[in-house]
Amino acid sequence: MSSDASMLQQSKPHRQGTLVVPPYNAGTGLTRNRASSAPVVHEHIHNKDVCYPSNQANKSKMPPFTFRNVLTFYGAVSSIATLLIPVAVTSGYYLVIAARIFQLSNIITMPLSGMLCSSSLGWRAIYYIYGAAALIVTTVFFGFFRDTAHVHRNVSEKEMAKISHGRSAISGRKRVPYLAICKDKHVLAIWASALGGNMSLMTLMIYGPTYLNKALGLNVQETGLANSIPYILATLVKFVAGPLSDNLTSVPDTWKMIFFGAVSQGGMAVGFFVMALTRVKIIAQIAYTTAIVLAGVNMVGVVKCAQMVSRQYIHFVMAVNSMISWIAIFILPMIIGVLCPTHSPEEWAVFYIAGGIWVIIMNIPFPFLATTQAADFTKPGWGEKKSNGVVDSEL
C-alpha cells in the first residue's frame, strides 16, 4: 500500500461496532453548535444525526420507530385527514372530529384560508389544497431525510470524519431513568410551567380565530390575516432571542433563562388581562398578537432549562411537554363550552382573566428552581450497582 493510500485509510472515521455521541460538557452539556440559538427540536435532530450505528451491518437492524418513519407517518396521516375533511363533513359530525384529531397548522393556513373562504372556491378548497401540499412535502421528506448521517447518500467520507471528530465512542444505549426524571424537582417545575403556558397558548392557537371573529367582530378574511401575523412575528423573534441570549455573556445563564421565561409567560398573562379588560378592538388585537409573539421567547427560557437539566434525556422531557399540549387540546373545548357558550366579549373576559391567573400560578416554581446544572440522573455511573460482578441499571 502506498503512503498516500495509507494516510487516506488512517483519516477515515472509525466505524467498527460503536456509537458516536457528542462529548459531555460539564458547563453546558451541549455540543458546539450554539444550541441555545436554535429551537430544541433542532438540537435533538442534531444529536440524533451524530449518534449513529458505525458499521454497515447495523443498517438492516434499524428499529421501525425511527425519527424518519414516525414523522413520515405523522405527515401522511395528517395529509390524508385533511383531504378527507370535505367528505367527512357530508358524512357526519363524528367523522369530522376523527379527521380533525389528526391535523395541525398556522402561519400560511390562516390568511390563505380566509381568502379561500371568501372566494368562489369555498371552504372545501382549503382542505384539498393543504392535504395535497402536505402529501408532497411528506414524500420529499421521506425521500431525503435519514436517521443517521452514515447512511445518507449526500454525506461524504470527509464530512463524516468532521462529524465524528472529537466525539467519544460508547457501545449500546442506556435506558432512560423515567422514575428519577419524574421525581426531579427541576423537571417538575419545567412541566408545571409547560402546563400553564401550553394550555394558554393552545387557547390562542385553536380559539384565537373564534375570539377575533365573534368577540372582536372581524370578518372571515380579516380574521385569517389577523391570526397569521402573530405567528410570523413569533418566528422572527425566535431568531433574535437565541443570539441575544448567547451574546449576553456578562449575565449568568440561570438569570437569562429566568428572564426570558418571565418575559414569555408573564407577557402571555398580561396579554390575557388586557384582552379581558378592554373593549377597544385595536388594543385587544395588539394584546392578542403580543401574547403569541412573546410565547416564542420561551425557547431560551423554560425550554432551554429543560435541555440543560435533562441533557441526553431531553427527548422524554419534551415528549411530556407535547403530551401536556395534547391534553390541553382535548379539554379546552369543554372549558370554552362552559365559560364562553355564546362567545360574547363578556364571556371571553372571564376566561382570559382565569387564564392569566393560571399562567402566573403554574410558573411560580420556575424562577426558584431554574438551573444550568445537569441533573444527577444524567451523569456517568448514575443508578448502576455492582454486585457479584453483575451491573444493574435503574429503569
Side-chain angles (χ1 to χ4, degrees), residues 3-22:
S3 59
D4 290 343
S6 177
M7 291 177 63
L8 178 62
Q9 181 68 25
Q10 293 174 6
S11 66
K12 292 182 178 180
H14 181 65
R15 298 188 180 185
Q16 297 300 316
T18 61
L19 291 174
V20 179
V21 299

Side-chain angles (χ1 to χ4, degrees), residues 208-220 223:
T210 302
Y211 167 76
L212 294 172
N213 179 251
K214 302 294 185 182
L216 298 187
L218 301 182
N219 62 38
V220 174
T223 297

Side-chain angles (χ1 to χ4, degrees), residues 27-39:
T28 64
L30 305 176
T31 55
R32 297 182 59 188
N33 67 333
R34 298 176 66 84
S36 60
S37 299

